Each structure stands twice: as C-alpha cells, then as structure tokens.
Amino acid sequence: MADTKREIERKYEGPPAGGDAPLPDLTDVPGVSGVIDKGVAELDATYYDTADQRLATASLTLRRRTGGDDAGWHLKLPVSEGVRDEIRAPLSDTVPEDLTALVRSRIREAELVPVVRLLSARDIRHLVDASGTLLAEVSVDRVRAERLSGGAGSAEWTEIEVELADDGDPAFLDKVEKKLRKAGIKRSASASKLAKALDDTAPRKPEKAEKAEKSGKAEKAGKAGTTGKVADVSKATTKAAKPEPPDSTPRTAGDHILTYARAQRDAIVELDPAVRRDVPDSVHRMRVATRRLRSTFRSYGKILDRTVTDPIGVELKWLAAELGVDRDQEVLTEHLTTALDDLPSDLVTGPVQARLSTWSGARRSGSRQHLIAVLDGKRYLDLLTTLDTLVAGPPLREAASKKPGKVIAKAVRKDFEKVADLVGEALELPPGSERDLAMHDARKKAKRTRYAAEAATPALGDPAADLVKSMKSLQTLLGDHQDSVMVRGALRELATEAHAAGENAFTYGVLYGRAEQRAAAVEAELPGEWEAIEDKGAV
C-alpha cells in the first residue's frame, strides 16, 4: 500500500565530481546546535517514464530505488516550487499498479520504461536543535547518470540537497541558504536529478544539423503565419488563423479563449492524481474545470467551431456527472444535518437523525471504486486525448483571428442578456414550482456568464473582472434558493418514510418551513440584487 510524504527541499550546485567536500560549517546557522554525520549511503535508482518522456515534461518523477532507509518505489508529484508529495510503495520488480494509476492521466495507454539510472554516493548530515530534534537533512550527492533509453550517454556531477524535517518551518531553509550563499554555493539550475540527467545524457546533434533544424522551424513558422491554416479535430471546414504558441502573449480573440481552455484541460489532467488519492476538494475542483471548459465552448461559438466542440461538451457533461455522483448527495445531507443541528431540542421528535443517516446512505449510488473505474476507463482517457488534440489544433473560426476587445465582449454581453431575460422571467412568476425552475435556469446561466467573463478578463480587464464578481454573487444567491428547493424535496421524502414507519413527522415539517422561509428571503432579495447588477451592466 502506497503512503505519502510531503517533501520540502532545495538543491544546490556542488563542485565537479571528485572535488573537495563543498559544505561550509553549518553549526552557526541560527537554531542549529549540532551537525551530526550520518555517514555515506549508496543509492541505486532507476527512473521510469514513457518513451516520449511525458512524466518528465510534467515535472513528475517515478523511480525504483535501493539503498538508504527508504528503499522502494517513489512517485513525486509537484505541489509548488521546492515542494513535492512523495508517494511510496514497497520494493517490487515491476511498477506498482497504485503508482501507475496516479500517472494514468499523463501516460494514457503508453508503456512505462526505464529511462535513466542514477548511482549516488550520499554523504548525509543532520542539523539538530538544542534538544536534538532534527531540523533538516543536508546531503552531498556524488552522482553518476546512465542513459537507458533514447541514447547511451552518461554524466557525473555533485550536488547539495537540503531537505526540511517533517513538520519543520520552511523559513529554516532560508537560514541555511544564507549560509550556503556566503560560501559561494548557488541554487541548482535543474529542478531535479532526473531533469539534469536527461539533459546531460541526451544525444547531441551535430552543430550543422542543429542550425539547419532551427532554420527549418523558423521558415515553417513563417509560412504558417502567412497561410492562416490550423489543424482541425474533425472533418468540419472552418476559416481560422494559426494560434500563438502556448507560451506566447495572447493577442487575438482566439489566443485568449484558447489560453483559458488550455488551463481547464491542464487542471483536469493535473487534478486526476489528487482525485484518485481522495485529496479534499479535488473532486469539486475537477468538476468545476469540466464545467468551465464546456461553458467556454458554448459561449465562444464564434471563435471555436461548435460542430467540433459540442460533441466534446457532451463528454465533459458526462464526466461532470460522474464526478458529482456522490458529491451532490453529500452536500444535500450536509444542509439537512446543519438545519437539524440548529433546531432547539424540544422541536426534535422521533429518530430524525437516524432516519436521515439511513436515507442518505441508501441514496448514495456512487462509490470511490466507481469513480476510479471511470478514471481508468477508455471513455475518460479518450476524452483527455481529444482535449489534447483540440488545444494542439483548435477548430478556430474566422473571428478567432480578430482583436479580442470586440469579439470577446460581444460573446460575454450575449450571455449576460440571457441571464437578464431569465431573471426577468423568474421575477414575473408567482412563488411556486415554475419560479423555482426559472430561478434554477437563471443560476445556471449566471454560472456560464461568470466563466465567460473569467476567460475574458485578461483581454478586457476590470469590466470583465467586475462582471465575474457580480455573477458569482448572483450565482450564490440563486444557489441558496436551489438548495432550499432540494432540501424541501428531501424533507417531503423523509417525512413520507417516517410516517409510513409510524414515526412522528413533526420535525420534518418544522425544517420544511424554515427552508421555505429561506427561499422566500432569497426571492425578496433578488430584485434589489439584480437591479444593482443591471446598473453596472456587462462589459
């Protein structure tokens, strides 16, 4: 069974392999009372990746290591600069299935193969405080790298690694770094040993061939810029301009929308391991990314050809539904539980809490096993590949090549006008089920308009950012109303079950009345809220 360790460390360049020990005296680092020599560990690590290095491209590392006190399989997932989650599994001859699953969104159906072997002599020192508590581990690693696939090169170097102790204060690393910098030691230019090994052992092209390749790429880019053609993900014929590369500054309407769409694709892929590990809020965040992407396709149909994106939107809707199988029921149960907890004890009659627990358990049709099966399934993996294809060769329409101000603003205003129509319809209806449905439709449209404004903000600035805030406020208000609708429906069901079982249904009626009052309060608040939003207007 894999376990996880949060790793906070910094890497520094050492002298050439075989040089003198590079460490200065660390006993005068503030907080350090002693430096304990822990000896030298011989480490043998083989790193695995796909043939085209998909893990390395995403700054993920997967290795099998022997030697030291943590022999086994290690998968490192980036959290932030210098911070990674290291997921460990026991030593085995093949890549553990648990770890393979965690990189599935990256590798898809590709095979994991050995790419680099690192042999390290690790000279370890522990920095401790006055009580002997470990503050950080400092090691001097003399490394030899051997390329196992994609070449046969080798390289040697020495580096210094400072790893913070578990639950340590990251500020302590600054103190150590200050001492190292005074000694002339600087941060490593490589993010990891694997990154340096891959770079240092990569086959080198002859200088003439490299120049010719660069010249050919420049010429090809120049021609592409003048033809205005772009790859499509379907047989649909669209007029389009070639988008800017992902790392360039967005200039056209298409650039801006693709930047936003690409960010949502990236979020889905990057959140996959967190969802599999059941990291708090990860399912919700992935679900939001799928909704944002689907909304982008629908809002910006003048930029991205909907004959191509609509079928993808269907798949995104499916994925969002799968991610929400348990989540929606959990949220409803939380609302009911909170409402019950807020009731005075003299208003609670009968086994209400037990009835609520039984009802909630029976309605939870999903499970983590089901969700993991979805993430391992062909339909989901095909969707990820389709999204890759779309952002690499987007089905851009003629408007995509235009300046963003007019094109994007028009799309956002169109969404805003639809929200206005739906809110107006809801306000004209009397309280009841028809108004409830109209307000729910307005909420969904407000959410879509919010996402459209998010995508527009880099191009349109403050007006779009202000609209995001307005739509979020409206979405929250209408969401409270929809929660009340769902809670009342659940309470009717619970009361019916309780009555059939011979239980007192009084408490369900009290809760229903409170939920009804909340809905009435939202309905009373909505006209003023909407008037303030309308006064601000759209972009």
Side-chain angles (χ1 to χ4, degrees), residues 203-234:
R204 300 299 177 186
K205 295 179 180 178
E207 187 175 347
K208 289 184 179 180
E210 189 171 349
K211 287 182 179 180
E213 181 178 345
K214 289 182 179 179
S215 176
K217 287 182 178 179
E219 182 180 356
K220 184 178 180 180
K223 288 181 179 179
T226 57
T227 59
K229 294 181 179 179
V230 62
D232 203 341
V233 294
S234 79

Side-chain angles (χ1 to χ4, degrees), residues 109-394:
E109 300 300 328
E111 183 184 3
L112 289 168
V113 296
V115 291
V116 166
R117 183 185 184 190
L118 296 183
L119 301 170
S120 304
R122 169 164 291 181
D123 192 355
I124 305 169
R125 294 166 178 78
H126 283 181
L127 307 186
V128 299
D129 63 14
S131 66
T133 300
L134 178 65
L135 299 172
E137 180 177 283
V138 180
S139 64
V140 178
D141 294 347
R142 292 180 171 82
V143 186
R144 175 176 172 78
E146 300 173 353
R147 191 84 170 205
L148 301 178
S149 64
S154 64
E156 294 185 9
W157 71 89
T158 299
E159 70 178 35
I160 300 166
E161 193 174 283
V162 183
E163 181 175 348
L164 190 67
D166 293 345
D167 301 320
D169 181 359
F172 177 70
L173 295 181
D174 294 332
K175 299 175 183 178
V176 177
E177 179 162 315
K178 184 177 181 180
K179 180 67 175 179
L180 294 177
R181 290 180 66 182
K182 285 184 178 180
I185 298 171
K186 60 182 181 179
R187 288 274 196 106
S188 174
S190 298
S192 66
K193 287 184 176 66
L194 175 62
K196 182 172 178 59
L198 289 172
D199 185 58
D200 288 358
T201 64
R204 300 299 177 186
K205 295 179 180 178
E207 187 175 347
K208 289 184 179 180
E210 189 171 349
K211 287 182 179 180
E213 181 178 345
K214 289 182 179 179
S215 176
K217 287 182 178 179
E219 182 180 356
K220 184 178 180 180
K223 288 181 179 179
T226 57
T227 59
K229 294 181 179 179
V230 62
D232 203 341
V233 294
S234 79
K235 295 180 180 179
T237 300
T238 58
K239 296 180 180 179
K242 184 176 177 62
E244 295 289 330
D247 58 348
S248 66
T249 301
R251 294 182 176 85
T252 66
D255 293 341
H256 283 278
I257 299 312
L258 285 173
T259 295
Y260 186 78
R262 188 178 292 109
Q264 307 319 313
R265 185 280 311 267
D266 291 348
I268 294 170
V269 173
E270 290 166 6
L271 283 165
D272 180 290
V275 170
R276 293 173 186 269
R277 294 163 57 204
D278 203 16
V279 174
D281 204 38
S282 58
V283 171
H284 171 69
R285 289 165 59 203
M286 182 186 275
R287 195 180 185 193
V288 168
T290 64
R291 287 172 167 172
R292 280 178 168 145
L293 189 51
R294 180 167 175 256
S295 292
T296 300
F297 293 159
R298 299 178 70 185
S299 294
Y300 292 104
K302 294 293 186 182
I303 294 173
L304 293 170
D305 185 358
R306 287 193 59 174
T307 62
V308 177
T309 61
D310 278 357
I312 303 174
V314 170
E315 294 303 287
L316 290 168
K317 184 178 181 180
W318 160 77
L319 178 58
E322 293 289 1
L323 290 166
V325 165
D326 283 343
R327 177 58 181 166
D328 290 343
Q329 180 61 28
E330 288 173 2
V331 171
L332 181 56
T333 301
E334 287 172 7
H335 283 307
L336 289 166
T337 302
T338 300
L340 181 60
D341 290 343
D342 288 343
L343 275 186
S345 59
D346 60 343
L347 294 181
V348 180
T349 60
V352 181
Q353 184 61 63
R355 168 68 57 188
L356 175 58
S357 297
T358 301
W359 171 86
S360 177
R363 284 174 61 94
R364 288 193 63 183
S365 59
S367 65
R368 280 206 55 77
Q369 289 77 13
H370 172 76
L371 180 55
I372 297 304
V374 167
L375 298 183
D376 283 335
K378 186 177 186 300
R379 185 174 182 179
Y380 168 70
L381 298 177
D382 284 349
L383 172 58
L384 296 186
T385 300
T386 299
L387 293 177
D388 289 346
T389 303
L390 182 133
V391 299

Side-chain angles (χ1 to χ4, degrees), residues 411-433:
V412 176
R413 284 195 297 269
K414 185 177 179 180
D415 277 348
F416 182 81
E417 289 167 2
K418 291 179 180 178
V419 175
D421 290 342
L422 289 170
V423 172
E425 290 175 12
L427 291 175
E428 290 176 359
L429 292 169
S433 59

